[in-house]
Amino acid sequence: MSEVNNLLARIQQPLKRIKQKLLGSIERRLEYFEYKMSVSHMIASCVRHPEDRVLLHTALINSDGVHAKTRIVIDSRPSCVEMMDAYLNWVRPVAMPYLVRIATQGDGGYVMSPPPPILKGNPKPFH
């Protein structure tokens, strides 16, 4: 009988650790799901444009299921809006008429000089 009790005691400790790990994992997943739902609800109720919703959702929730460390504060006071507009105008890329952006909607694209025009007498492009 003591051998059986000894065996049960040895089995119960690993089983207890496995149970704690499983419960901890389930608890973390539930907390993440609750966080994701609350963030999604806040974004849906506060942000008008779908592109902005996607951007905020990506910034606040990592794809691997971990809370992002990003904090976003929405402050619509006129002074804050003016300051943000001034900053965005300051960091806006310079518009150069002799450069062309080559891209599709989904990629970042390239900015380069446009190709030289094809001359009427020489229809072959430059090599």
Side-chain angles (χ1 to χ4, degrees), residues 43-44 47 49-61:
I43 291 171
V47 180
H49 301 290
E51 299 87 16
D52 296 338
R53 288 181 186 165
V54 171
L55 180 66
L56 276 174
H57 197 270
T58 303
L60 292 173
I61 299 176

Side-chain angles (χ1 to χ4, degrees), residues 2-113:
S2 68
E3 287 181 28
V4 172
N5 287 340
N6 192 12
L7 182 62
L8 282 175
R10 286 191 353 217
I11 292 174
Q12 284 178 345
Q13 287 301 328
L15 288 176
K16 197 176 203 180
R17 275 186 257 131
I18 291 171
K19 180 181 174 184
Q20 288 172 342
K21 282 185 179 182
L22 286 173
L23 290 176
S25 175
I26 291 169
E27 186 176 20
R28 281 190 303 277
R29 287 176 187 234
L30 286 173
E31 286 174 358
Y32 170 70
F33 180 73
E34 182 179 296
Y35 170 78
K36 189 174 178 178
M37 293 302 295
S38 66
V39 166
S40 295
H41 178 70
M42 285 188 294
I43 291 171
S45 61
C46 294
V47 180
R48 194 174 307 153
H49 301 290
E51 299 87 16
D52 296 338
R53 288 181 186 165
V54 171
L55 180 66
L56 276 174
H57 197 270
T58 303
L60 292 173
I61 299 176
N62 291 340
S63 60
D64 59 356
V66 179
H67 299 251
K69 303 221 181 324
T70 307
R71 288 185 158 202
I72 296 177
V73 177
I74 299 171
D75 191 342
S76 59
R77 290 179 294 176
S79 61
C80 292
V81 171
E82 289 170 11
M83 188 182 312
M84 184 56 74
D85 283 342
Y87 172 74
L88 292 175
N89 285 327
W90 186 69
V91 297
R92 177 174 291 142
V94 176
M96 297 184 168
Y98 56 87
L99 295 179
V100 178
R101 180 176 178 270
I102 310 294
T104 62
Q105 189 66 18
D107 66 9
Y110 296 92
V111 176
M112 54 195 329
S113 295

